[in-house]
Amino acid sequence: MPTRNLLPHHFAPLALLTLMGTGIATTALQTTANPPIKPTPQEILQPGEIRPLPGKLDGMRLFNSNSPEWIKTSGILLSTFPTQGKTTPAAHLNFPLTGEFNLFAHHFTHTPKDLRTLYIGILVHNPGKQPVAIAIPAAASYQLEEAPFKNHPMLLENPKGEIFSGPGIRAVDTVLRGQRQPIFPDRLVIPPGEYRMLLNHPIPTKGLARPVNGRSTFMRLRSSGNVYLASLALFAPLNPQGQERSPTLQDWRSLLETGHFAGPRDKTPTPLEATSGPLIYSRVAGIQQGANWVTPITDPGQRTLGLPAPGRSIAYPLSTLHRGRLGTHQSQAGKLLVRYGDTAYEAHGNYATYYDLTLPLQNRTPQPQTVTITLATPLKEENLSKGVLRFRQPSLDFPYFRGTVRLRYNNDLGKPLTRYLHLWHRTGQVVEPLVKLNLKPQEQRSVRLDFYYPPDATPPQALIVQTGDR
C-alpha cells in the first residue's frame, strides 16, 4: 500500500556475498558471482464464491492518531480541543468525546538531533462543572525496542502473548486478552475544568545500536462525561544542567495552546474521486466512526452457514478499502468524522478496529464433510475479472498480515477450545488453515474468530471457508 513502505522492518536485509578462491603462484585468482535463478511465479486461483462480509461497523468512536508517522519536530499530532485561544487553530478539531471510545496512537522517530528523547503525550481535559471519571478496562503501550519487527513462521500458537512482530501488534494483542499494563491506572478522575495525562511516555534512541524507535498505544476507555483529548509529540526539555527531563503537565498544556503541527507532514492523500494515476492513501489523523464489526456469518436469510460444495470455497473479504474491495463493492474502511486536510480521507486498514466474527457452520448433506477456515491475504484487487481470489507461488516477499487472532470452537471430540494464533503472512501467500473440522451429516458447529486489526498489516484479507482437504 502506498506510503507504508517507510518503517524499519520494511528495509530489505543486506545480502552479503563472500568470494573466496585458492590457487598457486602461477594461477590468477578469479571470482565469479552468479545470481540465483528465481523461480517463475505461478498464479494460484481460489475457486468458489466471494461474498461481502455481513454486518457493519458500529457507531463507537476511535481516536486514531497515526499521522505523521515519523516525527522530527515537536507539535500537535491530533487534537479534538476547541480552536479558541490556540496559536494554530487548524490543528484543533473541536470534537468532544464521551461514553465508550477507543484510542490508538502509533508514531516513530529516527536519528533525532542530539539523539534527544521524544515523548508522546495524551492530554485530556474536562470542560464541564462536574468531575469526570475515565475507566480504563484495557490498555497497552510498547516501544519498538520492546516489540521489534521479526520474521516468523506463517502460524504459531501464542497462548501467552509472547510472540509478536511490532509494537502496535503487541499492543492490540494485549488488549484482545482484556489486559491493562501496570503503567496505566484502572480509573482516571479529572476535576472540573482541569487537565490530566493519559500517557506521558518516552521513545528513546540514545544508546541503541540503530537510533530508530517508536511507540504504539491502544486503550479502551469509558468516560462519564464530555472530554477533549490531544496526542502530542515533544522532544525532552532540558533542566538547568542541560540534562533531559520528563515533560510536565504544564509543558504539554503549553504545547497544546501555542504549538504547531508536528512534522514533517506525511504525503497528501489522493482524492477518493480520482480514477487514475498513483494512489496515495496517506496516514490517518482523526476521529473514526466505528470501532467494532461484530456479526454472525450466515447464508442470506438463514441462521447458519451451509458448507460449500466439496473442493469449493466461500470467501469473505476483510478490511476492504478504496480500490481494494476484491470484487465485493464493499468498503469496510471506517468513516472519519473529523480529520486534517492533508491526512487520509478514510481509516483505510482499520488499524485497531475489532472484528468479532461467528460462523455457525452446518453440514446440510447426508455425508460427513471436512471443512477448513483460513485467514489469508490474496493479491489486492478492486474488481475480480475471473471472479476468484488470486494467490502467487512464490509469494511476494513482503509481510501483509502480522498479528494474533483468537479462535474459539468445539473440536471433533466436543471439547471447547480457545486458541491464540500469531499469523505472519506475505502478499499472495498460500497459507495453512486456522482450523480443520470434521462435521457429521446435518451437524451444526460454531467457530468464533476475533481480533483487533493489527497495525502495520496491509489490507485486504479474506476469511475462507472451504470443504475438503487443502
Side-chain angles (χ1 to χ4, degrees), residues 266-304:
D266 278 317
K267 294 181 179 180
T268 301
T270 303
L272 295 178
E273 61 270 19
T275 58
S276 61
L279 173 60
I280 298 173
Y281 289 95
S282 193
R283 292 276 169 175
V284 179
I287 303 302
Q288 176 179 334
Q289 177 176 277
N292 306 285
W293 193 302
V294 181
T295 186
I297 297 179
T298 66
D299 291 317
Q302 303 290 320
R303 294 185 178 182
T304 60

Side-chain angles (χ1 to χ4, degrees), residues 126-132 190-193 226:
N126 172 12
K129 297 182 179 181
Q130 300 294 326
V132 168
I190 309 165
N226 280 342

Side-chain angles (χ1 to χ4, degrees), residues 241-258:
Q241 291 74 40
Q243 298 169 325
E244 291 186 359
R245 63 171 176 83
S246 300
T248 64
L249 178 61
Q250 185 54 47
D251 291 328
W252 291 115
R253 283 193 60 183
S254 177
L255 180 61
L256 175 81
E257 293 163 3
T258 65

Side-chain angles (χ1 to χ4, degrees), residues 40-332:
T40 302
Q42 178 185 359
E43 185 178 72
I44 298 173
L45 303 181
Q46 174 74 62
E49 183 180 358
I50 300 171
R51 299 179 181 178
L53 185 67
K56 62 180 181 178
L57 282 171
D58 64 3
M60 202 168 100
R61 308 318 195 212
L62 171 60
F63 181 101
N64 195 328
S65 177
N66 187 213
S67 180
E69 182 185 33
W70 291 93
I71 299 169
K72 288 189 176 294
T73 59
S74 300
I76 297 161
L77 297 165
L78 174 60
S79 169
T80 73
F81 279 73
T83 61
Q84 291 83 358
K86 307 297 193 302
T87 299
T88 310
H92 305 278
L93 298 174
N94 192 22
F95 196 94
L97 294 163
T98 190
E100 286 190 78
F101 62 95
N102 292 347
L103 182 148
F104 171 65
H106 184 74
H107 302 280
F108 291 80
T109 187
H110 184 295
T111 321
K113 185 179 180 181
D114 301 323
L115 296 184
R116 184 81 63 89
T117 300
L118 178 67
Y119 279 78
I120 299 294
I122 306 294
L123 180 66
V124 58
H125 172 56
N126 172 12
K129 297 182 179 181
Q130 300 294 326
V132 168
I134 298 181
I136 310 174
S141 184
Y142 294 104
Q143 297 177 50
L144 176 62
E145 279 295 295
E146 299 171 303
F149 294 105
K150 294 181 178 179
N151 291 358
H152 289 290
M154 69 173 66
L155 188 153
L156 290 172
E157 299 283 346
N158 191 21
K160 297 181 180 180
E162 296 172 343
I163 302 170
F164 38 80
S165 46
I169 291 158
R170 188 177 183 185
V172 298
D173 183 345
T174 298
V175 173
L176 177 66
R177 298 166 195 265
Q179 298 172 356
R180 182 182 58 250
Q181 277 183 298
I183 59 175
F184 296 102
D186 63 350
R187 190 167 176 263
L188 181 67
V189 178
I190 309 165
E194 294 198 14
Y195 298 76
R196 292 291 186 269
M197 299 303 299
L198 272 172
L199 183 79
N200 183 5
H201 281 61
I203 306 177
T205 54
K206 190 173 294 185
L208 301 182
R210 187 164 175 252
V212 179
N213 204 354
R215 179 172 289 278
S216 294
T217 301
F218 184 47
M219 310 173 74
R220 289 175 46 211
L221 302 168
R222 185 173 62 252
S223 176
S224 64
N226 280 342
V227 291
Y228 293 106
L229 285 91
S231 60
L232 308 164
L234 181 63
F235 284 98
L238 302 179
N239 63 21
Q241 291 74 40
Q243 298 169 325
E244 291 186 359
R245 63 171 176 83
S246 300
T248 64
L249 178 61
Q250 185 54 47
D251 291 328
W252 291 115
R253 283 193 60 183
S254 177
L255 180 61
L256 175 81
E257 293 163 3
T258 65
H260 303 279
F261 284 107
R265 304 302 292 171
D266 278 317
K267 294 181 179 180
T268 301
T270 303
L272 295 178
E273 61 270 19
T275 58
S276 61
L279 173 60
I280 298 173
Y281 289 95
S282 193
R283 292 276 169 175
V284 179
I287 303 302
Q288 176 179 334
Q289 177 176 277
N292 306 285
W293 193 302
V294 181
T295 186
I297 297 179
T298 66
D299 291 317
Q302 303 290 320
R303 294 185 178 182
T304 60
L305 178 63
L307 304 186
R312 305 289 290 180
S313 68
I314 303 173
Y316 296 91
L318 302 179
S319 199
T320 51
L321 71 168
H322 179 59
R323 295 201 201 174
R325 298 180 291 181
L326 296 177
T328 63
H329 306 292
Q330 177 191 55
S331 175
Q332 297 171 20

